[in-house]
Amino acid sequence: MNNELGNIVSEQESVPQDTQRKDMAMQTIAVIPGDGVGPEVIDEAHRVLRRLGETDGVQFDIVNYPFGAEHYLRTGELMPPSVLEEFKQMDAILLGAIGDPRVETGVLERAIIGGCRWKLDMYINLRPIKLYAEYLCPLKDKKPEHIDMIFVRENTEDLYIGIGGHFKKGTQDEIAIAQMIMSRKGVERAVRYAYEVARKRNKRKKLTLIDKANAIGAMEIWTRTFEEVGQEYPDIERDHAYIDAACMWMVKNPEWFDVAVTGNMMGDIITDLGAAISGGLGIAASGNINPGQVSMFEPIHGSAPKHAGKGVICPLATHSATQMMLEFLGHDKAAARLDTALTKALTSGEIKSISTSSGMKTAEYTDVVLKYLK
Ligand code: IPM
Ligand code: MN
């Protein structure tokens, strides 16, 4: 992982000389609290990181970045290229949430989340879908052993590239175009990564390709690449589902999935469905990964402006993102301990719901997790 660091410098907070070394015990993390409930969940992440320092000897050097709506409205700055360069020197990035009703839809998201994904080539969006406790699942008779899969979403191409626009905007003759691209390189690296995940995970050793090649002919590039790369992974069972059918199976038979790989747009949509069947956005996390390079971890939920500042948001998705970050950084033991703490917290009976109307305060969720992260 990205532990081969030389100098770590930041405009926000300078890092003391003695921490500027290649040392797995000291991890430099860029933190972007962002908008809405973002700062609240990031405050909770700090508590978990501090505890891991005490119990697991992993020290985190946190460098805070102000990007988001407030900063944009005050300064006009979104995500300066110099900061993206700075991020390359970090071990990882932890993001709270981005999005604010005061700013035109998509401006912040594209510049900050998209900026990191594209400019730092975080070409994988890794989204585990894991049911920690039965009561979190809205599906009848589905238990933790039925919902335990991981989605590999291609993260830099497809309909997200921003090529297109409007012609005769605002008239009756208006035409809007959004181009979808799928490069061999982009598809192949996502597919290969997914095969590796299926192998490393060592569970069902099954990889499902999800696409819509029956209607979108060009998507055959996925089918072909999946088959070709699959020859190198004879130990992994190859499976296929069209996106519409996959949505149905996710609800009817989620136990059929082990690892799934899909494009950017379909992956965005189906992983929200995945979040829903595993307890909702209060628990789902994702990693934007450029293997071996700086990568960014975040809760899947958005900035939820209507809940901001009330202390009602569940921070468990952020703790789950922290867990993924630890794994990515190679702190397998600390990651496993945090995973166990999350499982225990959610099955102890102390947490009855992770919805914003649960009556539980943001910090109280973390209190329970910390109790099991001794
Ligand atoms: C996600 C989000 C983003 C996406 C938005 C905020 C651009 O929904 O991370 O899933 O569509 O990728
Ligand atoms: Mn999404």
Side-chain angles (χ1 to χ4, degrees):
M1 296 290 97
N2 191 17
N3 301 309
E4 307 292 301
L5 296 176
N7 288 337
I8 297 161
V9 277
S10 140
E11 285 159 20
Q12 271 71 18
E13 282 169 28
S14 67
V15 181
Q17 279 301 319
D18 63 346
T19 63
Q20 297 189 11
R21 61 203 159 91
K22 301 171 184 177
D23 185 354
M24 256 189 86
M26 175 57 85
Q27 305 280 226
T28 304
I29 311 293
V31 172
I32 309 173
D35 303 318
V37 298
E40 292 168 61
V41 294
I42 289 296
D43 281 349
E44 301 304 306
H46 284 297
R47 297 176 63 200
V48 169
L49 294 177
R50 264 200 305 277
R51 172 63 60 84
L52 288 166
E54 290 155 19
T55 55
D56 292 68
V58 196
Q59 302 299 324
F60 296 94
D61 193 7
I62 306 290
V63 186
N64 280 300
Y65 290 86
F67 306 117
E70 284 298 335
H71 183 75
Y72 173 61
L73 292 170
R74 214 178 50 243
T75 66
E77 185 178 64
L78 284 163
M79 170 58 80
S82 64
V83 171
L84 288 166
E85 283 306 309
E86 227 168 277
F87 283 172
K88 291 184 185 166
Q89 306 303 313
M90 304 276 166
D91 292 303
I93 304 167
L94 188 62
L95 174 73
I98 295 294
D100 187 297
R102 292 170 298 171
V103 180
E104 190 192 332
T105 308
V107 169
L108 298 166
E109 292 88 336
R110 279 196 296 272
I112 300 169
I113 302 177
C116 285
R117 286 179 183 171
W118 293 311
K119 304 222 171 92
L120 300 174
D121 204 19
M122 296 168 175
Y123 61 87
I124 298 296
N125 198 306
L126 194 62
R127 299 194 156 178
I129 292 161
K130 174 173 161 168
L131 180 63
Y132 280 98
E134 195 178 340
Y135 71 93
L136 294 171
C137 184
L139 305 178
K140 186 156 62 74
D141 300 332
K142 296 298 177 193
K143 299 181 172 48
E145 64 263 32
H146 297 126
I147 300 179
D148 183 8
M149 63 189 96
I150 189 155
F151 268 78
V152 175
R153 163 189 175 193
E154 197 289 319
N155 210 26
T156 52
E157 303 195 332
D158 201 331
L159 281 166
Y160 276 70
I161 54 165
I163 294 181
H166 299 257
F167 177 57
K168 297 191 178 176
K169 192 172 182 176
T171 73
Q172 286 301 310
D173 296 325
E174 178 167 357
I175 293 170
I177 295 178
Q179 289 287 339
M180 175 179 200
I181 65 150
M182 296 161 283
S183 70
R184 171 71 194 207
K185 176 181 163 190
V187 171
E188 183 167 336
R189 63 189 184 173
V191 163
R192 192 173 292 282
Y193 188 90
Y195 276 114
E196 289 292 334
V197 171
R199 186 177 271 175
K200 181 158 175 249
R201 184 171 149 90
N202 202 16
K203 289 202 168 162
R204 308 258 309 277
K205 292 203 159 195
K206 175 176 166 181
L207 177 62
T208 305
L209 168 67
I210 297 175
D211 61 45
K212 190 66 190 171
N214 52 346
I216 303 168
M219 278 207 143
E220 181 268 340
I221 190 173
W222 280 92
T223 324
R224 198 164 12 100
T225 307
F226 184 69
E227 282 303 314
E228 283 173 19
V229 177
Q231 303 307 315
E232 297 167 40
Y233 297 86
D235 51 323
I236 307 299
E237 182 195 340
R238 290 196 291 284
D239 178 39
H240 174 261
Y242 294 122
I243 182 69
D244 44 356
C247 290
M248 180 180 66
W249 299 130
M250 286 280 280
V251 174
K252 270 176 66 109
N253 297 91
E255 62 277 10
W256 288 359
F257 293 97
D258 176 21
V259 181
V261 62
T262 191
N264 205 347
M265 185 74 199
M266 290 174 189
D268 175 47
I269 298 167
I270 199 169
T271 53
D272 264 32
L273 176 59
I277 64 169
S278 59
L281 295 173
I283 187 71
S286 92
N288 300 274
I289 294 174
N290 179 352
Q293 305 295 322
V294 69
S295 296
M296 178 166 74
F297 299 84
E298 53 173 330
I300 289 190
H301 65 68
S303 57
K306 70 174 181 206
H307 298 303
K310 297 182 184 152
V312 297
I313 197 80
C314 170
L316 296 183
T318 303
H319 299 333
S320 181
T322 301
Q323 193 270 340
M324 291 184 77
M325 181 176 84
L326 288 167
E327 225 168 69
F328 169 81
L329 293 170
H331 295 291
D332 292 349
K333 249 178 85 186
R337 287 199 343 98
L338 181 52
D339 192 50
T340 305
L342 285 168
T343 308
K344 287 186 176 161
L346 283 161
T347 50
S348 64
E350 288 152 274
I351 296 173
K352 299 205 168 47
S353 155
I354 56 173
S355 104
T356 48
S357 55
S358 69
M360 219 163 153
K361 289 295 194 184
T362 303
E364 289 169 348
Y365 288 102
T366 309
D367 293 344
V368 184
V369 174
L370 291 180
K371 185 170 145 186
Y372 295 107
L373 195 64
K374 284 260 163 55

